[in-house]
Amino acid sequence: MSNPVDYDSISLKTPAEIAMLRAAGGIAAQVLQDLTPYIKPGTTSRRINDIAHDLIVDKYGAEIDREDLSGYDSSEYAAISIAHNEVAFSGEPSGIPLKKGDLFGVDVSIKKNGWCGDTQRMWIVGEETTAEARMLATVGYQAMCLGISLVRPGVRLQEIARRVQAYVESFGFSMLRVDSATGHSIGQVHADGWLIPYYEDERNEGRVLRKGMVITVEPFLCAGSGEGMRLPDATRSAVTADSSLAVYWEHVVAVTDSGCEVLDLREGEDVTFYDHRRLS
């Protein structure tokens, strides 16, 4: 790994440092908005990757940051992390056209003035898909929103993880367990300390959030068993072992006095947690 990291520690960020992370997050969010018109049937992931590269480097003057949580740097091969149906993340850009009904996601990880931005969203290609795929994408987004709603000083990470896992599994979906499929703290390094699985895991034990901590909220889930693997391709694509659909959404949040601030909201985005089953 190019940047040695102590995964048992986490730093508290100052307001000035959080401002730098907010600026980087704003760029990452804008890249996702700029990409949206291109996510349509017939476009290839290679084309989307090339557009993202130009946006990050040329339009916004940022650096591409594609080192994953295991230390593998795929920036030579991709400017973004691609999710596509059973490919959960780190998909290798290809010339295969997107099809109506596909689930497609882009994770933008950048650095601006030495500080990181990191955000992910999914699209339904062509806006029409199966009921299962639409539900999976919706539950994935709300699982992230639930995690965000629970972030505040004094809360235990394991409690957040258990709540998110229970929500996902209540729909019959599974948490994806594969190398690098976790949240993490973030700062001047993409993952600068804690790794945070959004399911019950020993790595969360004993960890309590404090004001000034900055973490990602990104539960990974799938429609199948939850088992995954990394492929030996250029970007080490992460896929579901049973070829089931997988999704995740991601935001960076800073712990505040009484809750958290999302540092990379997109224009008009609402991260309020909403579970329709609670309505009478």
Side-chain angles (χ1 to χ4, degrees):
M1 181 175 286
S2 59
N3 295 290
V5 173
D6 178 2
Y7 290 110
D8 291 322
S9 68
I10 185 172
S11 64
L12 301 181
K13 274 67 176 183
T14 67
E17 290 170 336
I18 291 173
M20 298 295 285
L21 288 164
R22 188 184 300 111
I27 291 173
Q30 189 60 53
V31 170
L32 290 181
Q33 290 191 194
D34 292 350
L35 285 176
T36 295
Y38 301 97
I39 313 299
K40 58 186 179 182
T43 308
T44 67
S45 59
R46 182 174 297 135
R47 173 64 174 148
I48 295 165
N49 180 78
D50 291 345
I51 294 168
H53 179 281
D54 292 345
L55 288 168
I56 294 167
V57 176
D58 298 329
K59 183 173 182 179
Y60 297 114
E63 302 172 53
I64 292 165
D65 185 15
R66 285 261 45 92
E67 185 175 282
D68 70 15
L69 305 191
S70 67
Y72 181 72
D73 187 349
S74 62
S75 57
E76 180 181 350
Y77 310 104
I80 52 177
S81 174
I82 292 168
H84 190 190
N85 294 334
E86 75 277 6
V87 178
F89 59 92
S90 293
E92 188 172 11
S94 78
I96 300 173
L98 302 185
K99 303 187 304 296
K100 180 181 286 188
D102 284 353
L103 295 180
F104 187 80
V106 170
D107 187 324
V108 176
S109 299
I110 66 162
K111 281 187 180 180
K112 181 69 173 181
N113 297 322
W115 291 86
C116 296
D118 186 16
T119 189
Q120 148 87 11
R121 68 154 295 176
M122 303 295 303
W123 292 265
I124 295 173
V125 179
E127 300 183 359
E128 296 180 13
T129 192
T130 65
E132 179 187 57
R134 187 175 297 279
M135 180 63 76
L136 182 68
T138 301
V139 171
Y141 187 76
Q142 285 301 309
M144 177 193 67
C145 293
L146 172 58
I148 291 170
S149 74
L150 298 172
V151 171
R152 63 185 184 277
V155 72
R156 297 182 180 275
L157 279 180
Q158 194 75 294
E159 178 59 23
I160 296 176
R162 287 178 179 135
R163 294 273 298 275
V164 170
Q165 180 178 1
Y167 176 76
V168 169
E169 292 178 349
S170 73
F171 287 91
F173 299 132
S174 302
M175 307 308 298
L176 179 64
R177 290 167 169 83
V178 64
D179 182 31
S180 294
T182 71
H184 51 89
S185 59
I186 187 168
Q188 291 183 287
V189 178
H190 177 77
D192 71 347
W194 288 352
L195 300 182
I196 307 170
Y198 282 93
Y199 51 84
E200 186 167 2
D201 188 276
E202 63 182 9
R203 287 171 288 185
N204 293 325
E205 279 299 331
R207 293 180 169 175
V208 179
L209 293 179
R210 295 172 56 193
K211 179 182 177 182
M213 291 181 176
V214 181
I215 63 172
T216 69
V217 179
E218 49 178 327
F220 294 78
L221 55 149
C222 65
S225 69
E227 296 181 17
M229 55 190 175
R230 302 297 292 267
L231 301 181
D233 57 14
T235 56
R236 297 186 68 236
S237 302
V239 301
T240 55
D242 54 11
S243 298
S244 62
L245 296 173
V247 301
Y248 77 104
W249 304 71
E250 175 187 18
H251 276 310
V252 172
V253 302
V255 183
T256 61
D257 286 318
S258 58
C260 70
E261 177 193 356
V262 180
L263 302 183
D264 47 16
L265 283 176
R266 298 181 299 278
E267 184 178 354
E269 187 181 10
D270 179 6
V271 292
T272 303
F273 174 59
Y274 171 76
D275 187 347
H276 70 277
R277 298 170 302 178
R278 294 183 177 181
L279 297 180
S280 57

